[in-house]
């Protein structure tokens, strides 16, 4: 037992302080957050500014540097015959509501009439059909309704499946450099199987020009690349392999593929990548700063022993892989990052064992860090704190982490604020202020500032 000199006020105070300190630390044994290296002061924190809808989208419709806020209600109200979006200004004042007769999908925005402003494209389904409506910032409909294509409900041994196809991505581009833009859609479907692939529509009338169907569904990372630098865009897309039993154009949906289709609908390249439950994601970028388009490919498989996860560089001009690396663990996230001020990109990889692996532009190891958590997806967004580097977000079983360019933790967002999908970080831009960042769970979302 500790012995203190008599009549020592200072020592008695020290004794009491030590007892309190020992009591505190013994109590902390019961606190989970105190046993993890994650609970420590961070250089930044997120402050909740506003609660928003789970279905929230931000677009700078009038190109003035600040976003409008679009809130979607995609439930189809049969009595009213509608679902709808609400358009708010940058200060969250309600501008207008736009109704459609069908079930809405994610709204998109592009400059449809060439006036410099963005129009809102509303894609929705009704009675096995996909339709489109175009509205401006004021909620005025420029195209009331245009038919795009039909799906088909099916009966099979598992039950009755109503067609509710989804659009994995939408692009607005002049494919053949004739001065007219095309609407490019990448539809997918589950048990109803079709259509899957890529569909091209006239940008004014929305009549179909051509389509290319694939057996497996496309992933949500297609790219448009001028491979030959002649002004003509090729469509490059990859697929997953859900094994629903669909066979189209010599491709099966128990296999994953990489496709290259030219602007005339001709398939100029096809390569099988994996079998059942495999998938391929693509990221188009100039990896080494030589102004030539390369494509980073991330191949993944549910059974890593059967097919190891792999990263590749694929050159669309030569149509060959220039660099490849396999991994002995399951990759849960992969994204290009900028960790210094050189022109080359680096790559950040996460796995379920809590590892962060940083690679250079030739897939050589630069840095490896291990944390006591299970990491999921990883994504980046523009610089929010003016340190000159883009922000790096990594999802985990505990919450969302914000890392700096040295892979040190800048901030941590617990599960109560965390998004269920970190694949695409959403920012809300305000004029003269730092952007707000959106976090979502299954029912709602919040806009928060990085302080």
């Amino acid at each position: 037992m500790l012995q203190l000199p008599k009549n020592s006020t200072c020592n008695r105070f020290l004794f009491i302080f030590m007892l309190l300190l020992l009591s505190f630390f013994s109590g902390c044994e019961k606190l989970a957050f105190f046993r993890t290296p994650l609970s420590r002061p961070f250089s930044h924190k997120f402050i909740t500014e506003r609660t928003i809808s789970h279905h929230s989208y931000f677009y700078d419709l009038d190109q003035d540097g600040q976003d409008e806020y679009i809130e979607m209600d995609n439930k189809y109200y049969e009595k009213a015959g509608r679902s709808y979006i609400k358009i708010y200004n940058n200060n969250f004042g309600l501008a207008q509501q736009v109704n459609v007769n069908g079930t809405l999908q994610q709204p998109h925005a592009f400059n449809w009439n060439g006036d410099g402003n963005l129009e809102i494209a509303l894609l929705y389904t009704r009675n096995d059909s996909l339709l489109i409506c175009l509205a401006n910032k004021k909620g005025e409909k420029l195209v009331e309704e245009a038919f795009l294509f039909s799906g088909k409900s099916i009966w099979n041994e598992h039950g009755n499946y109503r067609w509710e196809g989804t659009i994995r991505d939408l692009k607005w581009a002049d494919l053949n450099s004739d001065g007219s833009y095309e609407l490019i859609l990448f539809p997918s479907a589950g048990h109803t199987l079709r259509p899957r692939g890529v569909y091209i529509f006239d940008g004014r009338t929305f009549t179909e020009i051509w389509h290319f169907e694939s057996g497996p569904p496309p992933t949500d990372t297609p790219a448009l690349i001028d491979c030959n630098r002649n002004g003509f865009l090729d469509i490059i897309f990859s697929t997953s392999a859900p094994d629903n039993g669909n066979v189209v154009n010599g491709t099966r949906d128990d296999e994953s593929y990489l496709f290259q289709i030219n602007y005339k609908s001709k398939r100029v390249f096809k390569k099988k990548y994996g079998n059942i439950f495999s998938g391929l994601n693509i990221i188009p970028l100039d990896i080494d700063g030589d102004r030539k388009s390369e494509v980073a490919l991330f191949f993944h498989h549910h059974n890593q022993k059967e097919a190891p996860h792999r990263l590749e560089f694929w050159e669309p001009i030569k149509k060959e892989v220039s660099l490849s690396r396999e991994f002995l663990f399951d990759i849960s996230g992969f994204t290009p990052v900028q960790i210094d001020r050189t022109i080359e990109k680096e790559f950040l990889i996460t796995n379920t064992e809590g590892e962060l692996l940083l690679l250079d532009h030739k897939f050589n190891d630069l840095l490896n860090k291990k944390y006591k958590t299970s990491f999921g997806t990883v994504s980046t967004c523009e610089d929010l704190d003016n340190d000159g580097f883009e922000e790096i977000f990594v999802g985990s079983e505990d919450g969302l982490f914000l890392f700096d360019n040295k892979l040190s933790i800048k901030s941590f967002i617990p599960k109560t604020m965390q998004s269920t999908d970190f694949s695409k970080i959403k920012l809300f831009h305000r004029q003269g202020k730092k952007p707000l960042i959106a976090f979502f769970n299954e029912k709602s979302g919040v806009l928060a500032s990085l302080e």
Side-chain angles (χ1 to χ4, degrees), residues 182-410:
E182 286 80 40
L183 176 70
I184 304 110
L185 301 182
F186 297 85
S188 179
H191 290 288
T192 53
L193 304 182
R194 299 172 70 175
R196 295 169 172 174
V198 55
Y199 276 64
I200 313 298
F201 301 89
D202 181 278
R204 301 304 303 176
T205 64
F206 297 108
T207 55
E208 183 183 320
I209 301 174
W210 57 264
H211 69 264
F212 176 87
E213 281 200 68
S214 59
T219 59
D220 57 359
T221 57
L224 305 180
I225 297 179
D226 184 357
C227 297
N228 300 315
R229 298 188 178 182
N230 56 7
F232 300 139
L233 297 177
D234 282 6
I235 301 168
I236 299 173
F237 72 97
S238 57
T239 75
S240 58
D243 191 27
N244 298 134
N246 194 32
V247 179
V248 178
N249 277 333
T251 60
R252 310 162 51 88
D253 74 354
D254 58 358
E255 299 172 336
S256 57
Y257 296 88
L258 178 67
F259 291 102
Q260 182 178 356
I261 315 295
N262 70 12
Y263 72 97
K264 295 181 178 179
S265 77
K266 179 182 178 182
R267 188 182 72 196
V268 296
F269 180 82
K270 180 191 79 171
K271 180 181 178 180
K272 173 189 168 183
Y273 264 78
N275 296 314
I276 297 175
F277 305 139
S278 65
L280 186 70
N281 295 94
I282 68 177
I283 300 178
L285 74 167
D286 180 5
I287 298 164
D288 49 15
D290 63 357
R291 298 186 179 181
K292 294 181 180 178
S293 296
E294 293 107 352
V295 173
L297 301 176
F298 167 35
F299 170 74
H300 48 96
H301 198 284
H302 80 293
N303 186 343
Q304 205 255 2
K305 293 181 180 179
E306 179 180 333
H309 290 196
R310 185 169 73 250
L311 295 181
E312 292 182 352
F313 288 158
W314 183 72
E315 298 185 12
I317 298 176
K318 297 180 180 179
K319 297 176 179 51
E320 63 183 29
V321 173
S322 60
L323 191 63
S324 180
R325 175 172 172 175
E326 292 186 346
F327 295 87
L328 300 178
F329 53 78
D330 287 346
I331 296 176
S332 54
F334 158 66
T335 191
V337 295
Q338 196 76 53
I339 59 106
D340 54 32
R341 304 187 191 281
T342 61
I343 59 176
E344 293 88 1
K345 281 279 190 179
E346 290 75 37
F347 295 93
L348 183 61
I349 293 173
T350 60
N351 65 23
T352 56
E353 302 301 316
E355 285 185 289
L356 296 179
L357 179 61
L358 185 67
L359 309 179
D360 66 15
H361 67 285
K362 293 185 178 180
F363 292 159
N364 299 310
D365 292 7
L366 290 177
L367 185 65
N368 187 300
K369 286 195 174 185
K370 183 74 180 286
Y371 294 87
K372 293 182 179 180
T373 188
S374 177
F375 285 136
T377 55
V378 55
S379 59
T380 62
C381 73
E382 66 187 70
D383 182 10
L384 295 177
D385 58 2
N386 297 319
D387 66 351
F389 294 98
E390 61 191 1
E391 309 301 342
I392 302 171
F393 289 92
V394 179
S396 78
E397 61 184 0
D398 302 307
L400 180 65
F401 293 91
L402 173 64
F403 287 91
D404 64 19
N405 63 312
K406 302 300 181 183
L407 299 189
S408 296
I409 302 174
K410 293 167 64 172

Side-chain angles (χ1 to χ4, degrees), residues 15 28 57 69 79-80 137-138 175 215 241-242 314 331 372 383:
F15 177 72
C28 286
Y57 306 92
Y69 166 50
K79 289 185 178 180
K137 175 185 173 180
K138 298 177 181 180
L175 291 176
W314 183 72
I331 296 176
K372 293 182 179 180
D383 182 10

Side-chain angles (χ1 to χ4, degrees), residues 11 47 56 61 73 205 265:
N11 286 336
I47 308 298
S56 297
L61 297 176
D73 187 337
T205 64
S265 77

